[in-house]
């Protein structure tokens, strides 16, 4: 697997480059397979995409959001109207800006206990990728918390060892809300590509530590 790191002088520049990469990946996937499958994280990524993606979609021919299948890399088990709901945030901030019919969004069923919600979400994800043993997303957009968590996989948590489930319940997220569901590493690692997005000073130490970067300023 190839990995590359890009550092941007500002959040605006990072956002524009990220949106352009997503739109180009979409155009390529739609041209080759007729659809684009994209996994979305929540948190600060929502506002970034809501600001930058609509103009990028207008600039890239063939990106066709109506051919997108969106899924959530993790979700907090709160009502859609709650400010912590990732699906609610994407619906109100991003999807509301896209012309109908817009992308299909596979969200987590609310009103179920976490274990049932995870099982149900995994089943619906598998159905959306018929014929694949493990769903293979074209692209996952992963955020990172200052503690190094991504999706709802927290450093040192037993879920990092999960080998069987593609989606797992979380009952003890150290970052509220505690009850969530999350993609696990087997699903994340099956994706065709992953973009890990981190902005802000609070995340610099964990990113530098994980990448083993000694001279941050020389990073291209
Ligand atoms: O709780 C979560 O946190 C991470 C990071 O969020 P950010 O606001 O620091 O960008 C996010 O990627 C994840 O989806 C979310 O549930």
């Amino acid at each position: 697997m190839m990995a590359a790191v890009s550092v941007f002088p500002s959040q605006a520049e990072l956002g524009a480059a990220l949106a352009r990469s997503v739109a180009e990946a979409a155009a390529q996937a739609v041209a080759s397979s007729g659809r684009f499958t994209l996994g979305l994280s929540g948190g600060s990524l929502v506002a970034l995409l809501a600001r930058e993606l609509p103009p990028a979609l207008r600039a890239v021919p063939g990106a066709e959001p109506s051919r997108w299948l969106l899924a959530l890399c993790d979700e907090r088990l709160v009502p859609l109207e709650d400010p912590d709901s990732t699906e609610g945030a994407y619906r109100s901030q991003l999807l509301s800006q896209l012309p109908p019919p817009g992308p299909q969004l596979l969200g987590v069923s609310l009103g179920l206990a976490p274990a049932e919600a995870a099982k149900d979400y995994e089943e619906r994800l598998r159905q959306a990728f018929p014929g694949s043993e493990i769903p293979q997303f074209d692209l996952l957009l992963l955020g990172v918390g200052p503690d190094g968590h991504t999706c709802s996989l927290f450093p040192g948590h037993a879920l990092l060892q999960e080998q069987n489930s593609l989606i797992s319940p979380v009952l003890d997220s150290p970052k509220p809300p505690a009850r969530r569901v999350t993609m696990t590493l087997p699903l994340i690692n099956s994706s065709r590509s992953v973009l890990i997005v981190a902005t802000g000073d609070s995340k610099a130490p964990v990113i530098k530590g994980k990448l083993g970067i000694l001279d941050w300023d020389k990073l291209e």
Side-chain angles (χ1 to χ4, degrees), residues 110-167:
L110 301 170
L112 298 175
E116 278 69 47
K119 191 162 168 269
D120 169 79
Y121 189 44
E122 178 167 334
E123 273 168 20
R124 288 185 295 112
L125 267 180
R126 287 184 182 279
Q127 284 162 12
F129 291 79
S132 324
E133 196 188 324
I134 299 188
Q136 196 177 31
F137 281 86
D138 292 311
L139 175 62
L140 297 182
L141 299 182
L142 302 185
V144 183
D147 58 0
H149 80 274
T150 191
C151 300
S152 290
L153 299 172
F154 288 84
H157 198 283
L159 267 186
L160 292 169
Q161 311 306 324
E162 179 60 46
Q163 294 298 323
N164 301 315
S165 299
L166 304 182
I167 302 289

Side-chain angles (χ1 to χ4, degrees), residues 19 23 47-60 65 93-99:
L48 196 67
L49 290 174
R51 193 169 57 242
E52 303 291 348
L53 198 50
L57 291 175
R58 289 192 288 275
V60 176
Q93 295 177 45
L94 174 64
L95 299 186
S96 57
Q97 294 188 61
L98 304 180

Side-chain angles (χ1 to χ4, degrees), residues 27-64:
Q28 213 168 41
V30 168
S32 65
S33 71
R35 74 168 182 170
F36 177 52
T37 53
L38 174 65
L40 296 169
S41 295
S44 55
L45 195 62
V46 184
L48 196 67
L49 290 174
R51 193 169 57 242
E52 303 291 348
L53 198 50
L57 291 175
R58 289 192 288 275
V60 176
E64 293 197 56

